[in-house]
Amino acid sequence: MNELIEKVEKLKLSLDKDKRVLDLKQAKKEVLKEKNLLEDIEKYKRTKKEEDLEKIKSNEKFREYKRKETDCNLLIMEINQQLKEINNKGRNCHENN
């Protein structure tokens, strides 16, 4: 069990250094500096008007953040696929014994 915990910790450390994760964090910082964008987001939360959403989507910093978020989501999908393969291999080993 300790070996698994160590491997998870190593994975977390490597993810903290991954360019996609670092880029997402930086993009989030940029978005949070955009007071007008934050106001638009709050307004959309209240109104749910399509024109407010379109204004948000047209903001370049928001679009960049969403691109970086997509990159990280793809990374998560890759990790999940690898974990699924590892899990299946483990099951096959136990079934053959």
Side-chain angles (χ1 to χ4, degrees), residues 22-55:
L22 294 173
D23 288 348
L24 177 62
K25 288 179 180 181
Q26 183 59 40
K28 181 179 179 181
K29 285 180 187 177
E30 295 299 319
V31 164
L32 292 174
K33 290 179 187 176
E34 294 284 315
K35 299 298 178 199
N36 291 337
L37 175 58
L38 296 176
E39 289 172 6
D40 291 340
I41 291 170
E42 287 304 314
K43 182 179 178 185
Y44 175 71
K45 285 180 182 179
R46 289 189 312 273
T47 66
K48 302 293 187 214
K49 290 183 182 176
E50 189 64 29
E51 61 263 20
D52 294 333
L53 180 59
E54 291 306 315
K55 187 175 180 184

Side-chain angles (χ1 to χ4, degrees), residues 11-25:
L11 174 61
K12 287 170 41 179
L13 287 173
S14 82
L15 287 174
D16 283 341
K17 296 175 185 174
D18 188 281
K19 181 176 179 359
R20 292 164 286 195
V21 174
L22 294 173
D23 288 348
L24 177 62
K25 288 179 180 181

